[in-house]
Amino acid sequence: MNKRQIILLSSLGVTLAAALSYAQIRSYKAGDLGTSPEAQALVQVYQSIKSQYLKDVDSAVLLRGAIGGMLGALDDPFTSYSTPEETKGDDEQLSGQFFGIGVSLKAVNSDGTGSQAAVVYKDQPGSRAGLQTDDIFYKINGEDVSKLKPSQIVTKIRGPKGTKVKLEVLR
């Protein structure tokens, strides 16, 4: 995927998220999203979860889930949504203004979560600390990251040059 496509997809995702967030679905009436039964069902499910679910559920989590479902329905591997945090990481990567530990990650679980070291680059902080290919990232600074996506894990590891991070891995 080239830089232009990444920027276009990131912009699409941010625009969609901003539009949904701005509108604050909880105040929508079914007609605001359209009069189709599907649009009405979306609003009713959202309102039911917010008012009747056993636990409080963050609106952003529900909205991101709805966005993910819509994009997943397209069955297009080149169309995706990035959160504002992920987009910031993509922007850093494109501009080259970040530092990491010199490790490429790949998902370890079938649902795209968890991360395993796919490549550990020589003479980088990760290799100097003893990381090895196939190490599975378990905790970062004491936080369990075994259910996070690789992009979320990268965000927790990156930082200004000299940033210290404590990793716990499974070998």
Side-chain angles (χ1 to χ4, degrees), residues 125-164:
S127 68
R128 290 193 294 268
L131 282 175
Q132 297 178 12
T133 300
D134 296 329
D135 282 350
I136 297 172
F137 286 69
Y138 176 62
K139 289 187 178 182
I140 298 175
N141 293 328
E143 177 187 349
D144 182 351
V145 296
S146 60
K147 300 294 182 197
L148 297 180
K149 294 178 183 178
S151 61
Q152 294 170 305
I153 291 173
V154 166
T155 301
K156 293 183 176 298
I157 295 172
R158 273 190 190 149
K161 189 173 185 172
T163 299
K164 300 221 183 274

Side-chain angles (χ1 to χ4, degrees), residues 25-129:
I25 278 187
R26 78 184 120 200
S27 66
Y28 275 163
K29 303 286 186 263
D32 293 341
L33 285 176
T35 57
S36 73
E38 293 82 6
Q40 292 175 4
L42 173 69
V43 172
Q44 290 170 353
V45 168
Y46 176 88
Q47 290 172 339
S48 293
I49 291 170
K50 290 302 286 178
S51 66
Q52 298 174 10
Y53 193 67
L54 296 174
K55 305 184 275 185
D56 283 340
V57 180
D58 184 2
S59 295
V61 170
L62 291 175
L63 293 173
R64 288 181 182 148
I67 292 167
M70 284 187 279
L71 295 176
L74 298 175
D75 196 28
D76 178 359
F78 302 107
T79 302
S80 64
Y81 167 74
S82 296
T83 64
E85 297 84 19
E86 292 167 337
T87 301
K88 181 180 180 232
D90 290 342
D91 291 345
E92 287 174 348
Q93 186 168 354
L94 290 171
S95 69
Q97 300 296 316
F98 68 92
F99 293 90
I101 60 171
V103 176
S104 291
L105 301 179
K106 66 180 178 181
V108 72
N109 301 319
S110 61
D111 65 355
T113 63
S115 284
Q116 182 175 40
V119 178
V120 179
Y121 297 98
K122 287 183 179 182
D123 300 321
Q124 295 297 312
S127 68
R128 290 193 294 268

